[in-house]
Amino acid sequence: MTDGAPRNTRRDFLAGSAAALAATALPGCRKHRDAITLGLYAALTGNMADFGIASRNGVRLAAEEINAAGGVLGKPLHIAIEDTRGDSSEAASAVIRLIHLEGAVGILGEVASSLSLAGGRICQRYRIPMVSPSSTNPAVTALGDCVFRVCFIDPFQGDVMARFARNSLHFSRVAIFKEQGSAYSVGLAAAFKEAFTRVGGTIVTEQAYRSGDTHFSAQLGTILAQNPEGIFCPGYYTEAALIAREARGQGFRGRFMGGDGWSSPSLVQNDDDKLVGDFYSVGFAPDGATSGVARHFADAFQAKYGYAPNDLAALAYDATLAMVAAIRRAGSAVPERIRAELAQTRNLDGATGLISLNEHRDAVKSAVILEVHENSANYHSTVNP
Ligand code: PHE
């Protein structure tokens, strides 16, 4: 957890600026006085922008449906949105703005675990409940009793992909290529390694890159020299696509495997076939959706935006439903009351299935493995916890 953890100086600075904002901004500058405001912080620009856009669309669809049905506790639901630009100090200040300038009584976000760690610390400090739709690193909800998630966690996801590599693809030699400094990537790499070794496989080498890198030939040279059958690449879509292209150029003919961080239309929208036949795990696939809410969501999303939703959109929709259901059960928009009710979330009927939060404030859910085709990633199989 190297990035995402603001150093003391930055933390003090943020605390100071939050106090200043609170003193000047509340409650007079709160913009939507007659509404109940939730804040969404997400990367709407930068190299994780696909994450934020999908999440925002999922949250907006939920809010629109809730408002069409009469709102929450007799008030309209307002979603205030702040761009994190994929940066952890931006994420922290985005959350401060949402709480102190917008008057958000609950926070939705972030996608990337390192950013949820930064924003979650702020929520925990001000005791504002936060629901991350999609951050899978265990440390996120371990921040404290104000931080929840509606997705599975990486020890499970790593186990799913390790067993798939071993039992379905029959691999015994796999290399890991992870993003140094990403809580998500480092944690998922460790989970995969532990599980793949446990089922009798060998990790032939473990290499690392940094966010924003565009050339990987040195590490790929080391990886290909080991002649692995597969490369597990637990990073985000931008780098994963570049890595795959470069590895194919260097002659790699094995399979790539990844986790939910690959989830983006950009992964498959290029005209080359670098990842065709490769696999990654996610929490939801619209073409595997069977339950009532899942189908309703997939159809409503397609109708509103003109394209099929991915896991991020579905999880963001569900995070909104979970927060609103907690407000309704509490009969109050007081953050502490919402927090207490969120902890009681059981069998919430969401787009990604029935959601129950355990004592760690995590959802226990199935994973879906997707296979990459020419211009899309399609449902391959479901793995239950
Ligand atoms: N699980 C990733 C993380 O924790 C975020 C992510 C989830 C990205 C789902 C894409 C899809 O950083």
Side-chain angles (χ1 to χ4, degrees):
M1 257 52 66
T2 48
D3 71 342
R7 297 210 176 74
N8 276 335
T9 48
R10 197 202 292 165
R11 204 178 291 174
D12 295 345
F13 166 75
L14 289 171
S17 51
L21 284 178
T24 56
L26 269 179
C29 297
R30 194 179 290 180
K31 289 174 194 150
H32 294 261
R33 281 166 169 280
D34 302 323
I36 290 179
T37 297
L38 298 179
L40 168 67
Y41 70 123
L44 299 169
T45 55
N47 64 353
M48 293 193 280
D50 287 359
F51 291 167
I53 291 162
S55 306
R56 182 192 60 195
N57 288 350
V59 169
R60 279 194 174 150
L61 175 61
E64 194 176 285
E65 292 179 351
I66 287 160
N67 283 332
V72 189
L73 306 181
K75 295 182 176 180
L77 179 66
H78 170 65
I79 308 291
I81 302 176
E82 289 282 340
D83 182 6
T84 64
R85 294 186 247 152
D87 176 87
S88 48
S89 54
E90 277 301 322
S93 37
V95 171
I96 289 171
R97 286 194 298 274
L98 289 169
I99 295 172
H100 294 295
L101 290 178
E102 302 287 346
V105 295
I107 298 291
L108 304 168
E110 232 273 352
V111 174
S113 288
S114 295
L115 276 57
S116 282
L117 285 167
R121 279 191 193 93
I122 306 294
C123 290
Q124 191 62 37
R125 177 174 317 134
Y126 294 103
R127 299 207 59 80
I128 301 293
M130 166 179 136
V131 180
S132 170
S134 40
S135 286
T136 45
N137 185 277
V140 171
T141 48
L143 284 171
D145 63 352
C146 295
V147 184
F148 302 82
R149 78 178 107 221
V150 293
C151 54
F152 55 52
I153 58 173
D154 288 329
F156 170 65
Q157 180 171 213
D159 189 77
V160 164
M161 287 311 288
R163 286 170 188 277
F164 180 74
R166 187 82 186 111
N167 301 332
S168 299
L169 302 176
H170 307 292
F171 288 170
S172 53
R173 298 169 51 78
V174 170
I176 291 176
F177 198 14
K178 67 187 175 188
E179 182 187 319
Q180 195 65 51
S182 156
Y184 162 70
S185 192
V186 170
L188 183 54
F192 180 92
K193 181 179 187 174
E194 190 275 321
F196 192 63
T197 311
R198 181 164 28 83
V199 294
T202 302
I203 300 299
V204 294
T205 180
E206 203 169 342
Q207 298 292 313
Y209 60 90
R210 292 201 166 271
S211 172
D213 282 358
T214 51
H215 295 287
F216 308 90
S217 57
Q219 302 97 310
L220 285 173
T222 307
I223 289 172
L224 299 198
Q226 296 297 321
N227 201 22
E229 296 159 293
I231 301 176
F232 185 61
C233 201
Y236 297 123
Y237 63 96
T238 301
E239 289 85 1
L242 294 172
I243 288 167
R245 181 174 306 130
E246 199 167 325
R248 296 298 181 211
Q250 289 190 25
F252 178 62
R253 294 285 166 266
R255 296 268 65 90
F256 274 99
M257 296 164 289
D260 54 1
W262 282 22
S263 186
S264 150
S266 305
L267 190 81
V268 293
Q269 262 168 9
N270 298 305
D271 42 12
D272 58 334
D273 56 0
K274 58 194 181 297
L275 285 166
V276 168
D278 295 337
F279 297 94
Y280 63 102
S281 52
V282 295
F284 168 84
D287 50 349
T290 46
S291 86
V293 179
R295 271 271 53 94
H296 159 78
F297 164 75
D299 294 343
F301 190 99
Q302 173 79 45
K304 180 168 164 67
Y305 299 107
Y307 65 97
N310 64 2
D311 56 328
L312 280 169
L315 288 164
Y317 182 87
D318 285 356
T320 314
L321 296 192
M323 189 74 88
V324 166
I327 297 172
R328 288 191 174 130
R329 288 199 304 276
S332 158
V334 171
E336 190 60 35
R337 308 260 315 262
I338 304 172
R339 185 205 64 74
E341 283 301 330
L342 268 172
Q344 303 304 320
T345 300
R346 301 288 180 276
N347 294 319
L348 179 91
D349 204 358
T352 61
L354 284 185
I355 298 168
S356 296
L357 301 187
N358 65 15
E359 72 274 26
H360 305 296
R361 297 169 296 282
D362 299 328
V364 177
K365 304 168 77 174
S366 310
V368 172
I369 296 175
L370 298 183
E371 180 173 0
V372 182
H373 296 277
E374 292 286 314
N375 281 305
S376 60
N378 298 98
Y379 179 84
H380 176 273
S381 51
T382 300
V383 183
N384 295 318

